[in-house]
Structures are given as C-alpha cells and as structure tokens.
Amino acid sequence: MPRSQRNDNFIDKTFTVVADILLKVLPTSNREKQAFLYYRDGMSAQSEGEYAEALQNYYQAMRFETDAYDRSYILYNIGLIHTSNGEHGRALEYYYQALERNPSLPQALNNIAVIYHYRGEQAIENGQPEIASMLFDKAADYWKEAIRLAPTNYIEAANWLKMSKRMVI
C-alpha cells in the first residue's frame, strides 16, 4: 500500500489530499505525476524517520523526474538523509549534484558549509589547525553564498562569519 494511503498524521493526510487534487487538475504527464507521487511518499517517509523507505521513493522519483529544478530538490533530500545518517561524504555528493541543477538552493549551500565546519572542528580536535583553517574557509565560502541568496535565513552562520573575521561588514 502506498504511503499516501496509510498516513496517520492530519497534516500529511491534508497535504496528500491537496496534492492528489492538484495532480488531477493540473495538466501534467503521467511521468511527472509518477515522479511527484514518489517524491511525496519519500518526503512523508523521511519526516517519520523511515530513511530507507524515503531513499527508495526518492530514487524512484529520480527515474521519472526530468526537470532539473525538481530533481535538485530530490537530490537535496537524499543528501539530508545521508547527513542524518552521518554519511557526510555521500551527503556532499548529493548536495553538489543538487547545486549543479539549481545553483540558487541556499539550503544545500548551508548544509555543505555545516559539514565543512564540522570537519574543521574535528581537525582542531585532532591537532590539525592548518587543515581546520582550510575547512573553515571552505565553510565560510558556502555560507557567504547561502546568505547572499537568503539574507535572513542563516543568522548563526553570519554571526560565526563575523566572529571568525571571515566576513567583513
């Protein structure tokens, strides 16, 4: 049974009903509808922490989705799951793929920065200050771009950039 038919959450049910109505009303191809159904089920599974199921749905959505912009969000969500699982290298691959298709995706830029910042902190703990500095600089570059695209969304990152003197006002 598709996930959309077994949601217990009122908000998920409401979203599913509205999405189903839109799919019937909007002039879209069967391929586009299939992609959206898998994407919707992936988002639902992901929100419930069912990452394996979410990944299966996202991979299916990728088989049907042809629009680069829409694919960027699928790739971004796959990256989120890998981040949640501590697979930062794989997450970066998916975030970069998302940005190739949609360079104006500040949340992917932010998540890349978060991973580089985390790796910088690990380098400090391992007594590698030069590597840490390079990783922090990389994080700063991605945060600057994310902030440029969404100036009010990343206040903590902006504060870190100011405190670390990586962004001069």
Side-chain angles (χ1 to χ4, degrees):
M1 167 186 324
R3 172 168 283 281
S4 60
Q5 293 176 0
R6 58 186 159 104
N7 280 334
D8 295 326
N9 181 318
F10 174 76
I11 294 172
D12 283 345
K13 281 184 181 180
T14 304
F15 173 75
T16 299
V17 169
V18 171
D20 287 343
I21 291 170
L22 285 174
L23 279 178
K24 289 176 184 168
V25 174
L26 294 176
T28 58
S29 70
N30 270 348
R31 184 177 189 90
E32 291 168 320
K33 288 177 184 177
Q34 280 297 111
F36 180 76
L37 291 172
Y38 280 115
Y39 180 67
R40 181 193 64 199
D41 286 349
M43 287 179 28
S44 178
Q46 184 176 357
S47 72
E48 294 174 14
E50 298 292 337
Y51 296 144
E53 182 182 345
L55 285 173
Q56 287 176 337
N57 280 295
Y58 289 144
Y59 293 140
Q60 288 297 323
M62 289 294 289
R63 289 183 53 226
F64 291 101
E65 186 57 66
T66 57
D67 181 75
Y69 184 82
D70 291 340
R71 287 177 71 89
S72 73
Y73 284 94
I74 298 168
L75 292 163
Y76 169 76
N77 281 321
I78 293 171
L80 282 177
I81 291 171
H82 288 301
T83 300
S84 295
N85 289 335
E87 301 168 334
H88 297 149
R90 289 191 77 187
L92 286 172
E93 291 174 25
Y94 283 99
Y95 294 143
Y96 287 132
Q97 288 180 48
L99 287 170
E100 285 173 14
R101 287 152 184 84
N102 180 3
S104 298
L105 195 61
Q107 55 268 49
L109 294 161
N110 175 65
N111 290 3
I112 290 169
V114 167
I115 290 171
Y116 282 124
H117 186 270
Y118 172 75
R119 288 180 170 179
E121 289 178 336
Q122 286 182 315
I124 285 175
E125 288 177 18
N126 293 329
Q128 301 170 310
E130 302 84 18
I131 292 173
S133 182
M134 289 181 353
L135 290 166
F136 289 144
D137 287 345
K138 260 187 136 165
D141 291 340
Y142 283 98
W143 268 325
K144 287 175 189 174
E145 183 62 13
I147 291 166
R148 186 187 69 75
L149 293 171
T152 60
N153 288 11
Y154 305 105
I155 303 302
E156 288 182 41
N159 287 336
W160 178 82
L161 288 167
K162 292 173 194 167
M163 297 289 290
S164 67
K165 298 188 181 6
R166 285 180 168 81
M167 183 162 79
V168 179
I169 302 174

